[in-house]
Each structure stands twice: as C-alpha cells, then as structure tokens.
Amino acid sequence: MTKRLVLIAASAIFFIGCNDSKNDCIPSDKIVEYPTDSVIKALNWPKDLTIKGFSGPDVTPDPACMAVAASGEVFVGVDMMGSLGKEEGKGAIIRLVDCNHDGIMDAHTEFAKLDNPRGILPIGNQVFVLHTTFSDAPKEEDSVAVDASEKENSDSVPADETLSEPLKIADNMDLVVFEDTDQDGIADSPPEVLIKNISNTKYLRDRGTDHATNGIQMGIDGWIYIAVGDFGFHNATGRDGTKLTQLGGGILRIRPDGSDMEVYTHGLRNIYDVAINPFMDIFTRGNTNDGGGWNIRFIHQIQSAEYGYPVLFKHFTEEIIPALVDVGGGSGTGALFMNDDRWPEKYNNVPMMADWGRNQLYIHRVTKDGPSFKQEEEQFIQLPQITDVDVDASGIMYLSAWDGAGYSGNPERGYVVRVTPNDFSYEPFVDVKQASLDKLVELLAAGNAKSRLSAQYELLQRNDSNSASKVLELAQDENQSLEVRAAAVFTYAQLAGSSGIEELVKLTNNEDLQRYALRALADNKDWSEKVPLEPFYSGIQSSAPEVKATAIIGLGRLGNKAASEQLLSIEVPDSFVAPEINTEGPHATPNSEIVFPHLAVKALVALNAVDAIIDALGTEQEDLALWAMRYMHNPKVVQALIEAHNKSNDKGFKKKVMNTLARIYHKEAPYDTSWWWSTRPDTHGPYYKTVEWEQSPVIRSFLMDQFKVLGGAEKDYFTALNSKYRLGIDAFGELKMEAPKEDMPIVDFEKIKNKKGQIGESSIEDVMLALGKIKGDAAKGAELFNSQGCVACHSLKTDEVMKGPFMGQVGSIMNKEQIAESILKPNASISQGFSTVQISTKGGENYVGFVTSESADDLTIRNIVGTATDLKKSDIAERKELETSMMPSGLANSLSFEEMASLVTFLSEQK
C-alpha cells in the first residue's frame, strides 16, 4: 500500500451529481502532502488499511474536533486559538466534500464562523456545535490601545485620530444547532441556542478552553451526550429553561430540541469525548493530572455513577466506581465506538480512543465483567497529535491531526486523513429526506451505527403516524441482530411517547430486549408516573447483570419511593472497604461487584428515600442505608443516627454511625465558578470547599460527647476521624501526612544560560537536524537534568515534591522533537496548567511562579529557583496568569549537540 498522503491533481475537470442535484462536483487540482514523508516513514500503520490525505492546513489548520455526516461530508472544527489562546475570530466549521467518492477532497466551504469549536454533530440538515462565545469587554477594557511609538512613526495615522476597536473577551460556552436546508455547505442563519453557559466564564477568560466543555455525540436513545471538563458550569440553561450547576467534570445529556438537560455521570477530570456503542454503553479516555495520581484512565460510564475526581478517588475509593485501567500519561481526545460490519472483524465493535499526547488512535477491547467490562488496550493508528475520529455511513473513517500546532494554535499545522480497509468498496448512502417510510425502517436495520442513527433521526423528524407500528415490528423480529432490535426499541419509545408504555412493558418480558425496554421506560421523566414498577422489580431479579443494573437505575429515575424497599435489598459486597487513613484505594482496578450497590445508593438518594433508609437501620439492609446516608444532609437523618447509636450496644455499629455523621458534618460549598481547583487539586476529600450546615453543631456536640465518654482508649480512632473528614475539632488531634522531602539546590539560571556551547551558537533548525542524527545517552541525560537546573522546577516521581510540569510521564505526552522544542523555545508551548502566575497579597508582597498545589483555602507557589511559599487565598489581592513561561530561554545554551540529545533521550524515556 502507498503510505504517501497526497491529494492528487486532477488532469481534467468534470461534473458529477451529488445528493442534491443543484450541487456540481469539481475534482481538486491541488496537491497537498500531509504529513511529511519523514513523518510517514516513522508511522506504523496497519498494512490492511489504506490511509490517504484529505485536507491540509491551507483548508483545515488546527483541527480541534471533527465529525462526519452519514452522507460523507466532513465537518472540521478549526481552532487557531488553541486551548490557551484568548483572541476572538480564529475559529470556524469547515465543510469538506468528496463528491465523486474517490478519496480526494473536491470542495470546501466555511460552514460557520465561531470560536473554539469543541464538539460537532452533523445529522439530517442540522449541525450541532459546542463552542466558546465572546462578548464585549467591560468599559475599562473596551478598546485596544495603539502603541505610542507606532503612532508616532506611522504616516497613515492622523495625529488627531484615536485608533481603537471593541475588545471581545470569552463569555462562556454554548451548545447550538445550525440548519442547512439547501445543502449548500453554508449555515442558513445564526444558530439556535440549545444550552447557554455550559462552562466557566472566569477561567475561560483567565486560562482558555483547556478544561472546558468538549465533545458531543448522539446515542441511539436520542440524547446528545456532552463531555464536560472539570471547569464544570454554573446555571447552564437549556432551551426549555432547565438550569443546572456542576462542580467538576462528567457527562451531561440533553434532547436535540434543547429540553430535559440532566447530569449522566460525575467525577471525571477533563474528558474530551465519549464513545457510545449500539447498546448505550458509554466509554471515555481522560487526561492526566500531571503527577497528582489521576492518570489517563479508560472508564465505562454507567448512568448516575460517581467516578470520584478529585475528592473521592484516593481516600474514599469505596464510594466510587473505579476506572477499568490506568494507562499512565497522555491526553485523551476524540472517541468513536466502531460499529460497521464492512470493516474487518478485528477493528469492529470496539471503542476507538484518540490520544493527542501519545500520537495514537487506540483500540480498547472490552469484554463483559458482570454489569461492567474489562479491557485490553492496543495501538491502532499513529498520527501526530490526533484530535478526533469519525466514520460515515458508507464506512469511510476520517482522522484529524493537530500536528504540533501548540497550545495556542498555528495556521500552518493540522490536517485530516481518510482511512478505509484495503478491499473497501464505496456504497452510496440513501438520501433520507427522499426515502420512503419503508426504506427508512429498512435503513434502521443496517449493519452500521451511522446509518441506523440517521434513519432514526429522520423518522423522528417526520413523526409519521404509521412509523411507530412498523418500528415496533422491527424490534419484535427475532431474525434481526440485537443492535438493530435495540435501535428499534429506542426509536419506538421516542415515536410513541407515553402511548407506547404498554408495548414497552410487553417487551420487558423478552430476555433479549428487557434491558433496552426498561431503559426506554425510565428515560422520559414526563411520563414516569404512568410507568409501572413491576417490570423493574423483575429486572432486579434478573440473572443478566446489565438488566439488573438498568432496573436499579430506572427505579431511581421513576421517582416513586415505593421502590425503596427493592433498592435496599441490594447487598453490599465485602469489597466495600475504605482505604486505610492517608493511603490510596484501588481507584483504577475494575470492581464489578460494587456496581449494583453503588447504583442502588444513587437511586435511593435520587428518590430522597429518607424514611425508608432510616427504617433500614438495625436490619440486614443497614450497610446500604448507612452508605446512602453519606449523601443526605437532612436533620431527620442526623437525629435517626444519633438515636440508633444511643440504643445500640454494638461497638462496631456505633463506630459506623459516628463515621457516617462525620461524613456529613460538612457540605460542599455552592459552586458559582468564581473559583476552581486548578490542574493539580487537593485530593484529600470528601469535599473540596467545605461549609457547615444547620446540623454541623449537633454532630460536633454528639462527637465531643462520645469522645469524653470513651476517653483515651479510643483517642486514635477520634484522631483518625478528625483527620479523614477534616472536622477541625482540636481536642481530637490530627494525623499528619509525611510530606516529600525538600532537597533542592538553589540554581543560578543566569550563569547556566550565559554559557555558550553548540546549542547556544546554533539556530533551532540546525539543532533539530543534529538531534535527528545523534543517539543520546539517557544516563548522561539524567546527570544533565540536575546540572542544568531542570530539577528545580520539575519532578520525576510521584512521591517527590510536586513543582512545575511533571516530567515523570513526559515521554508519553511528547515525542523527542517536541521535548527539544519546549526546552529551546519555552514560550512557544507552555504546558497546560503551568502558566506563570503573578500573585499580589493584601500585605503588599508579590510572588511569581507556578502554583504547584491548591486547596479551597490555600495554595503553594514555587518561584524560578524552586523556593515554595504557602499562601492563604484570603490574603490574595490579585492573581493573574502571565503570557510567558517562567522557564528562561537559553538554559541549554552551554550544551553540545550530544549533551542535548542525551537530555532529550532521558526525558523521552520518562513514561
């Protein structure tokens, strides 16, 4: 196979009709080669795939996201601002078309102009986009001054004319939908807003979009699923008026008409996208927190579940669902669940996960493990800083590559490639707008997910009175695949609405369809009062783990407290054990047996089943009841726990009660997005920013009374309780964690950078050429890491003092060339989360450095020579991020080419 990515020049121009007869196809006559030949030689592509270039940076620079319509049009989110840029007007959605389906991009249009596109979903005549919005700066910032010296020297500027222009600043992020009814590749009009303000205004302005809200995907259940980074959001407002606030990351979902917005899962760091299989299993691959214990992790996202970042995963691991695996450093980006029977079996029915840092599209081979999965990761397709992956209804895959455009974008980098199996034969996709009802139902039975979703969406848009019955027949057809029957169940539920409840209940009696019918019955809370509980009770008794999990989730959604008894019957396994004080639990080791009770607790809390949970104390169900009480800040719960404690003679039970009361002593402070926990937050838990509530004095008094009664015999217990929950009760004492030893020499950076060796006397281009030819010595590089002052600002091991950007995984995130560039040009690619911060205190002191740790009340700032200063946030008058790196240029000036190669080799081996 030819691995050269070339958009071949056409020798002639001809016209071929597209889906819309108005549109003519003019084959491209422009040659574009991306990536370069040298990069191609280094890439290890599967031999049974054909990979061809589709667009280069002249058309699609800085592709932050990408999605493909069923009919083959490729929509690329161009973001020349990058994740840390802050200037308006550098983004667009570019639509690419291959009219004659020969693998060459023939035409492109600017579909819409907008900033920071992070998620795209084209379906039918609509294109959903998640992006940053901008607004006018406050009055004092509303003009851009012209440099005085520039005015003085410019003949074109009259002396009495003031040059100014409105200054725009990031406002928030919105989910919008565009229409293109005439299919001319340009949005018809301004978009309709489906969700307003789905991010954090303050930190979008201060930092950029690096931990903001990201990718969007539509499931066959008809919902749009949104990957929310840990900026979270405040008062995100759906089109129907629904308002939500969320501290931290997770998955949000909403109907395509902007209604019924709700949280799907919570406790994630900075996910970029979701992969959804035909059965509504959802998978994510996240981002590392730079040495803070949360590395890249592949997670099965189960509705209503909590995954624990940052305050539960380490020390309250029993309360979360663990990740399926921790794979070390990297940067997860776009995702796709490949479901297309025309692809080779080994590449089909798998989650495919892009990793920008590792320059790799991964396959995670998942196998069932009770109600969840186990996985095996394998490399699939290498691509420099891959950002996204998608497939059209004919089976053509597209990948987008950031290709070293940096954290603030580069108009000369970035491209899109096209991938097909070697024996691929193009199959035209049906024009769903012109298709008959029978044809759409037939398409709903296609062997690929993209066709089924497109057919479903068109059926829902038409809402033909005959559609529901025909789709129900498809669901009942035992000759169809389970993927098709599941799609039919979800489509029927949306078409029939509440009038379909009776038929859906019947479908729960079919073991193959039970899971999907139960989910569909509980999916729309508008009809929940009409849905009987009995099918869900039957589901809880099912021997199929995925059915049981779906039934538990459904009972929590239906809102009927009568289900509490059934939920309380779920057993708590022996693995529900808290980590020892100041130790980490197994937060990235699959634990399928914890899923059922975890979901049952979430359901009980959703039902606010206070009375039933209190009644369970003193019964066989009390362990689950006590678990649920950890999230119930309710006076009745506090009183019931105290009474149960006083009535019991069981010392073990009494300690469980005190533990539960200590857990609810504080609440999480309301989140208004005026603050955020940074890229390496305090992970102690169980709350990040605590506030007391009305029962805190009652709990404190009770615990103090027990301390007085039990005396010195239980002093260690109360000390541990005080430390674990940060109660702040001085009489109990506190366990102190031993901090990593500070053993850091003061480094004279000026002296280092003023020495001139080969590096200091050469251009960066010459240095890069030399490094490409020299094999470095990693052992020598380790010595240079210390002697060149790198150790002052960077740690290599997680048990060392955390300083600036963590180097213990840098080889998983950057290649050698990128590492070398970051050393030679530190301002060109400031590591995300480690911009230089300037802090002024109320006492008049000033500090400049990295914020290396941060809690709700305190932070640590480390200056250029490695000296750390602890500050109270309440003492800070001003805090701002600077545009330049704290790392001085020239620290490698004194090195020879061989020494530089050794330093780069050493760092590249840190994975």
Side-chain angles (χ1 to χ4, degrees):
M1 142 188 142
T2 302
K3 288 188 178 178
R4 186 171 184 179
L5 305 188
V6 180
L7 298 182
I8 304 169
S11 58
I13 295 178
F14 56 95
F15 299 90
I16 299 175
C18 298
N19 282 346
D20 187 332
S21 59
K22 296 185 301 181
N23 296 328
D24 293 319
C25 175
I26 305 176
S28 171
D29 61 356
K30 184 176 182 180
I31 297 175
V32 180
E33 299 182 17
Y34 281 93
T36 61
D37 288 339
S38 61
V39 173
I40 292 169
K41 290 176 183 177
L43 301 180
N44 182 26
W45 288 335
K47 300 296 188 293
D48 53 355
L49 299 180
T50 299
I51 304 179
K52 300 175 64 176
F54 198 67
S55 69
D58 57 325
V59 176
T60 55
D62 308 329
C65 57
M66 178 205 63
V68 188
S71 48
E73 295 84 7
V74 181
F75 292 82
V76 182
V78 168
D79 182 13
M80 290 188 285
M81 202 189 311
S83 59
L84 296 183
K86 300 179 179 68
E87 296 179 28
E88 186 208 23
K90 291 189 173 183
I93 305 297
I94 305 298
R95 177 180 179 264
L96 312 178
V97 179
D98 174 12
C99 293
N100 56 350
H101 312 294
D102 62 353
I104 300 171
M105 190 266 289
D106 299 314
H108 67 273
T109 54
E110 184 179 275
F111 180 80
K113 188 79 174 173
L114 45 76
D115 286 297
N116 285 139
R118 282 296 175 268
I120 307 174
L121 171 62
I123 188 163
N125 290 333
Q126 296 179 308
V127 179
F128 298 85
V129 181
L130 198 146
H131 72 103
T132 302
T133 58
F134 278 70
S135 61
D136 291 339
K139 281 286 185 181
E140 61 270 18
E141 303 175 38
D142 67 358
S143 65
V144 177
V146 177
D147 185 89
S149 62
E150 182 179 323
K151 284 185 182 180
E152 187 176 318
N153 298 324
S154 174
D155 295 333
S156 61
V157 181
D160 59 347
E161 183 176 331
T162 301
L163 292 184
S164 65
E165 58 185 57
L167 178 65
K168 299 284 188 178
I169 56 176
D171 185 49
N172 211 290
M173 300 187 82
D174 291 351
L175 176 66
V176 302
V177 60
F178 293 93
E179 296 275 351
D180 183 15
T181 54
D182 59 6
Q183 292 291 289
D184 64 351
I186 300 172
D188 295 341
S189 58
E192 180 180 358
V193 178
L194 301 182
I195 305 178
K196 185 75 176 169
N197 299 335
I198 193 173
S199 191
N200 181 322
T201 298
K202 174 177 170 53
Y203 286 91
L204 284 172
R205 291 175 180 173
D206 289 352
R207 294 176 53 87
T209 58
D210 62 336
H211 283 248
T213 307
N214 298 304
I216 56 177
Q217 299 277 3
M218 184 176 286
I220 197 65
D221 61 352
W223 293 82
I224 295 174
Y225 289 81
I226 305 169
V228 179
D230 60 331
F231 275 171
F233 48 84
H234 176 253
N235 277 346
T237 306
R239 184 177 169 225
D240 64 354
T242 301
K243 288 182 182 288
L244 290 177
T245 293
Q246 177 172 293
L247 170 62
I251 297 176
L252 195 70
R253 70 176 189 172
I254 194 168
R255 304 279 185 188
D257 64 357
S259 64
D260 300 337
M261 176 175 59
E262 62 181 39
V263 174
Y264 190 77
T265 62
H266 181 259
L268 306 176
R269 183 177 185 266
N270 193 25
I271 59 169
Y272 201 81
D273 205 354
V274 299
I276 308 175
N277 77 6
F279 311 117
M280 290 310 304
D281 292 303
I282 299 179
F283 303 94
T284 60
R285 182 183 175 104
N287 262 259
T288 176
N289 71 339
D290 202 64
W294 181 280
N295 296 315
I296 294 300
R297 49 190 57 207
F298 180 72
I299 296 177
H300 176 212
Q301 301 287 335
I302 304 175
Q303 187 173 9
S304 76
E306 169 63 47
Y307 294 91
Y309 185 83
V311 293
L312 297 179
F313 79 99
K314 280 188 177 180
H315 307 307
F316 297 83
T317 316
E318 79 278 14
E319 295 187 22
I320 71 167
I321 293 183
L324 300 186
V325 67
D326 178 323
V327 295
S331 303
T333 46
L336 167 72
F337 192 95
M338 172 60 83
N339 175 252
D340 192 312
D341 59 7
R342 293 158 299 192
W343 271 67
E345 185 177 354
K346 63 181 177 180
Y347 303 139
N348 196 24
N349 292 314
V350 290
M352 294 182 175
M353 299 288 181
D355 195 302
W356 179 91
R358 295 188 175 194
N359 307 305
Q360 185 74 236
L361 181 64
Y362 286 94
I363 285 174
H364 290 267
R365 300 203 180 277
V366 293
T367 53
K368 290 298 293 182
D369 178 28
S372 188
F373 294 87
K374 291 184 177 179
Q375 70 82 50
E376 292 292 333
E377 178 197 72
E378 64 182 58
Q379 296 182 355
F380 180 31
I381 297 175
Q382 288 182 286
L383 205 64
Q385 293 186 323
I386 180 171
T387 55
D388 221 336
V389 51
D390 202 3
V391 65
D392 70 13
S394 70
I396 302 172
M397 179 191 288
Y398 295 87
L399 311 175
S400 56
W402 191 250
D403 190 33
Y407 290 115
S408 298
N410 184 330
E412 298 179 356
R413 307 304 291 264
Y415 54 86
V416 175
V417 300
R418 177 185 188 268
V419 185
T420 56
N422 287 345
D423 59 356
F424 176 78
S425 178
Y426 176 76
E427 299 175 8
F429 183 64
V430 175
D431 184 349
V432 293
K433 290 295 179 185
Q434 304 301 320
S436 66
L437 175 58
D438 288 341
K439 185 64 179 177
L440 289 175
V441 175
E442 179 184 329
L443 195 61
L444 192 60
N448 68 90
K450 185 74 81 167
S451 292
R452 293 194 296 270
L453 185 63
S454 184
Q456 180 195 76
Y457 200 69
E458 179 61 23
L459 285 166
L460 295 173
Q461 298 302 302
R462 293 187 191 183
N463 201 20
D464 187 310
S465 59
N466 296 316
S467 298
S469 59
K470 288 182 176 290
V471 171
L472 180 60
E473 289 176 9
L474 185 65
Q476 295 167 333
D477 186 351
E478 295 183 356
N479 294 317
Q480 297 291 342
S481 70
L482 195 53
E483 289 94 335
V484 169
R485 299 182 75 190
V489 171
F490 288 124
T491 307
Y492 173 76
Q494 294 172 76
L495 286 168
S498 60
S499 63
I501 291 174
E502 183 178 351
E503 292 294 341
L504 287 170
V505 169
K506 291 178 183 177
L507 292 179
T508 65
N509 296 317
N510 183 307
E511 289 185 0
D512 292 335
L513 302 181
Q514 188 178 11
R515 173 189 179 188
Y516 317 113
L518 287 173
R519 179 170 176 132
L521 281 166
D523 223 17
N524 194 320
K525 292 184 177 180
D526 289 342
W527 6 296
S528 59
E529 292 183 0
K530 301 177 183 178
V531 177
L533 297 179
E534 285 72 20
F536 294 86
Y537 293 166
S538 296
I540 284 182
Q541 304 306 316
S542 173
S543 59
E546 61 274 16
V547 172
K548 184 172 182 177
T550 303
I552 294 170
I553 295 165
L555 287 175
R557 293 182 57 79
L558 292 179
N560 191 333
K561 292 182 182 180
S564 301
E565 184 177 348
Q566 288 282 330
L567 292 168
L568 283 162
S569 70
I570 304 297
E571 294 184 3
V572 177
D574 292 340
S575 59
F576 182 74
V577 177
E580 292 293 325
I581 187 75
N582 290 336
T583 64
E584 290 189 28
H587 48 78
T589 301
N591 182 12
S592 60
E593 68 178 10
I594 206 70
V595 173
F596 294 144
H598 181 100
L599 298 177
V601 165
K602 294 298 180 183
L604 287 164
V605 173
L607 293 173
N608 194 29
V610 172
D611 292 337
I613 289 170
I614 289 172
D615 290 344
L617 294 176
T619 73
E620 293 180 353
Q621 302 167 338
E622 75 180 13
D623 282 345
L624 194 76
L626 286 168
W627 183 355
M629 285 176 168
R630 296 184 185 196
Y631 319 110
M632 291 183 164
H633 291 80
N634 186 302
K636 289 179 68 175
V637 168
V638 173
Q639 187 61 36
L641 285 169
I642 292 173
E643 289 178 0
H645 173 279
N646 292 338
K647 291 177 182 177
S648 176
N649 295 316
D650 185 333
K651 290 183 179 179
F653 175 73
K654 285 175 173 284
K655 284 189 174 181
K656 287 181 181 180
V657 168
M658 287 191 285
N659 188 78
T660 304
L661 286 166
R663 176 68 170 82
I664 58 175
Y665 179 80
H666 289 117
K667 295 175 67 173
E668 190 70 67
Y671 185 51
D672 61 4
T673 66
S674 64
W675 53 274
W676 181 58
W677 50 44
S678 80
T679 56
R680 196 189 283 157
D682 176 12
T683 56
H684 184 283
Y687 307 102
Y688 182 75
K689 189 172 185 178
T690 59
V691 291
E692 293 189 1
W693 62 295
E694 62 181 279
Q695 290 294 303
S696 296
V698 176
I699 297 171
R700 182 186 184 93
S701 176
F702 171 76
L703 292 176
M704 285 294 295
D705 288 345
Q706 300 313 306
F707 178 67
K708 293 172 184 176
V709 169
L710 295 171
E714 293 292 347
K715 177 68 165 63
D716 290 346
Y717 169 77
F718 284 97
T719 300
L721 200 71
N722 195 40
S723 302
K724 180 172 183 174
Y725 295 106
R726 290 178 166 173
L727 302 177
I729 302 176
D730 294 339
F732 290 179
E734 187 174 348
L735 293 173
K736 296 292 186 183
M737 286 188 66
E738 186 175 342
K741 184 181 178 183
E742 288 268 10
D743 184 17
M744 203 168 354
I746 300 299
V747 178
D748 188 341
F749 287 111
E750 287 299 317
K751 184 177 180 180
I752 291 173
K753 72 181 186 179
N754 286 331
K755 292 181 179 179
K756 298 295 182 191
Q758 284 177 296
I759 299 298
E761 295 173 350
S762 304
S763 69
I764 189 170
E765 292 80 8
D766 289 339
V767 173
M768 290 299 189
L769 287 171
L771 295 182
K773 299 175 183 177
I774 299 171
K775 183 178 180 180
D777 180 343
K780 179 65 175 175
E783 297 174 6
L784 291 164
F785 185 83
N786 291 317
S787 65
Q788 294 305 117
C790 309
V791 68
C793 294
H794 303 286
S795 305
L796 292 170
K797 298 178 181 178
T798 55
D799 59 358
E800 295 175 344
V801 175
M802 288 293 110
K803 311 166 192 173
F806 182 59
M807 292 292 106
Q809 299 169 339
V810 69
S812 298
I813 300 170
M814 293 181 172
N815 60 33
K816 286 186 176 181
E817 184 176 289
Q818 292 164 341
I819 292 171
E821 182 183 31
S822 69
I823 294 171
L824 297 169
K825 298 169 63 179
N827 287 325
S829 186
I830 299 172
S831 182
Q832 287 178 287
F834 292 97
S835 299
T836 305
V837 173
Q838 179 177 300
I839 291 177
S840 301
T841 69
K842 295 173 182 176
E845 296 172 312
N846 293 294
Y847 301 90
V848 176
F850 296 129
V851 173
T852 55
S853 66
E854 185 166 2
S855 70
D857 302 315
D858 309 281
L859 62 78
T860 300
I861 186 167
R862 191 175 293 271
N863 68 15
I864 185 62
V865 297
T867 303
T869 303
D870 296 326
L871 297 173
K872 291 285 184 185
K873 285 186 172 181
S874 58
D875 293 335
I876 294 174
E878 183 181 26
R879 171 180 176 173
K880 64 180 180 180
E881 293 190 3
L882 305 181
E883 298 295 329
T884 55
S885 172
M886 190 171 75
M887 177 178 170
S889 298
L891 292 184
N893 281 352
S894 65
L895 302 183
S896 67
F897 289 153
E898 287 78 8
E899 288 172 325
M900 181 68 173
S902 295
L903 178 59
V904 170
T905 296
F906 168 70
L907 290 171
S908 71
E909 292 180 0
Q910 306 307 306
K911 298 181 179 181

